[in-house]
Amino acid sequence: MWGGRFAAGPDAIMEAINASIGFDQRLAPQDIEGSRAHAAMLAAKGIITDTDAKAIREGLLTVLSEIEAGTFPFSTALEDIHMNVEARLTDLIGEPAGRLHTARSRNDQVAVDFRLWVRGQCDAVDEALGGLMQALVGQAEAGADWVMPGFTHLQTAQPVTWGHHMLAYVEMFARDRSRFADARARMNYSPLGAAALAGTSFPIDRHMTAEALGFDGPMANSLDAVSDRDFALEFLSSASICAMHLSRLAEELVIWSSAQFRFVKMSDRWSTGSSIMPQKRNPDAAELLRAKIGRIFGANVALMTVMKGLPLTYSKDMQEDKEQVFDAADNFALALAAMTGMVADMTANVAELEKAAASGFSTATDLADWLVRELALPFREAHHVTGTLVALAESQGCDLPDLSLEDMKAVHEGITKGVFDVLGVANSVASRTSFGGTSPVNVRAQVEIWKGRLT
Ligand code: ARG
């Protein structure tokens, strides 16, 4: 492609380190889409003839169908997808193929291809997150009033509802979704026509190609256009945050499905057995999901590291942007799909949840609040009285509702039998009606809101 200046071909090792065709062939559809738009623009501006543009545009479709059919002869000697496509186009249509690269460089070409690809991933993630949120809302609706322990420090804290717990993740994934939408809006400007780095002397129309490719306009600075990869980094950082959320949920599924918790039964579709221990049902999908998240974090760090020392504009280092993003995007898509399936198919063990919710003195805060409300104790004193009662119950080997009224009165004489109303877990959650609180009434209202938003 640049034979004019070179007498000898590259060393075999040079070819190996330089070639990206092994992975950037995934950009073929975007590369061809970009080239077709470029050719149409060149003809519209009179830079090439309509006849040549037609031959180029049709030839590119033939190349695409060869790639889709798996018959395309990819060549490492031709380095990357851009030169592989152009060389094949030359085989197919001859001389006009040589006119396609007018007013363009591989620098703006790869920038546009990769932007289109990452933009497509943003759209796919948006859809996948919508599906996951729907699965979570389905669980929340079914269990708006199922009571379970809420934890801090993984110690029983206060009873909460299953629906409230599910909707906590819906909120997180909704923010993740909006991060991808923001990133998409920022990346949706076209680098095409920035050429090598400085623009071109040909009378091109960058607005025309931008529009043809679904961008909101051309990028305003040619140096920036060929040299930044912040759009890919925004994708990776948004994916990293979302993956962190996925991993926390996966961790909960692993804990919840253990024999010690028995909060959920994962469906057979998402579990595996053991080759030696017949009783086992392992939550492999949740575990693998939790582990795969590291690749996404890793890709983010790797690409930040590739970019951080590069002077403007393009450097070949930037060829290392793609594999990281491809691998992260593939594993992210897999993680989202697996989580959606696991959530949709899991069965909550409602009796077990309730039993766990009632243990561990989970309504101690309700008792303290009752002392404040009914006996006008300062909260600090109520906290102390409640602590004494918890210690008493612990010494008797029972839970708070099992204490006798006499025992309670011995700790604080003002206590009446009305206190037993707040010691039950159902009353506890029903009372938490403050905005954003766990009560079934709140959960049902939020479920309705989400159902409206997710349709
Ligand atoms: N394969 C290259 C990449 O992925 C395409 C751009 C090459 N540009 C250049 N000036 N060598 O970055």
Side-chain angles (χ1 to χ4, degrees), residues 162-178:
W162 170 265
H164 200 49
H165 200 109
M166 294 298 123
L167 290 181
Y169 282 103
V170 173
E171 296 285 337
M172 293 175 233
F173 292 128
R175 286 194 297 277
D176 292 332
R177 212 177 180 196
S178 80

Side-chain angles (χ1 to χ4, degrees), residues 117-202:
W117 194 88
V118 175
R119 186 181 77 184
Q121 288 300 305
C122 288
D123 294 339
V125 167
D126 184 72
E127 208 184 309
L129 276 172
L132 173 55
M133 289 163 74
Q134 263 167 353
L136 286 160
V137 169
Q139 285 286 351
E141 186 172 27
D145 57 4
W146 299 344
V147 186
M148 65 181 280
F151 298 95
T152 59
H153 316 263
L154 197 57
Q155 307 285 322
T156 300
Q158 294 173 351
V160 296
T161 48
W162 170 265
H164 200 49
H165 200 109
M166 294 298 123
L167 290 181
Y169 282 103
V170 173
E171 296 285 337
M172 293 175 233
F173 292 128
R175 286 194 297 277
D176 292 332
R177 212 177 180 196
S178 80
R179 266 183 278 276
F180 285 102
D182 290 347
R184 189 197 196 282
R186 254 188 306 283
M187 80 178 65
N188 202 29
Y189 290 87
S190 174
L192 191 56
L197 76 164
T200 174
S201 57
F202 289 99

